[in-house]
């Protein structure tokens, strides 16, 4: 199935979320190197925080990155 056209992606097709996939080209990247953008934490530090039961302020995409890192160790 083809994705939305450029026009649909920019404008949103019939009220649909143009960034429903979780990452939008206009967003700040969730990760720069090993640092989670906007958190000041590395992926390893965020994983350790989650393991301690803390809830660092992560976006949904960042949380998936951190969880994948934690499960792969």
């Amino acid at each position: 199935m083809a994705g939305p056209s450029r026009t649909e992606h920019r404008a949103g097709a019939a009220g649909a979320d143009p960034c429903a996939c979780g990452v939008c080209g206009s967003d700040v990247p969730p990760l720069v190197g090993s640092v989670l953008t906007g958190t000041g934490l590395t992926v390893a530090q965020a994983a350790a925080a989650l393991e301690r039961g803390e809830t660092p302020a992560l976006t949904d995409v960042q949380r998936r990155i951190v969880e994948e890192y934690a499960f792969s160790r």
Side-chain angles (χ1 to χ4, degrees):
M1 181 169 154
S5 70
R6 255 186 213 183
T7 303
E8 291 171 326
H9 185 75
R10 280 192 301 258
D17 180 2
C19 297
C21 63
V23 178
C24 184
S26 64
D27 288 343
V28 175
L31 187 68
V32 175
S34 63
V35 177
L36 297 158
T37 308
T39 67
L41 297 171
T42 65
V43 174
Q45 290 170 329
L50 287 177
E51 290 171 358
R52 290 190 302 267
E54 298 173 17
T55 53
L58 303 171
T59 66
D60 291 339
V61 172
Q62 289 173 327
R63 184 166 299 280
R64 288 193 302 264
I65 291 168
V66 171
E67 289 172 348
E68 179 66 28
Y69 172 82
F71 291 132
S72 68
R73 298 191 289 152

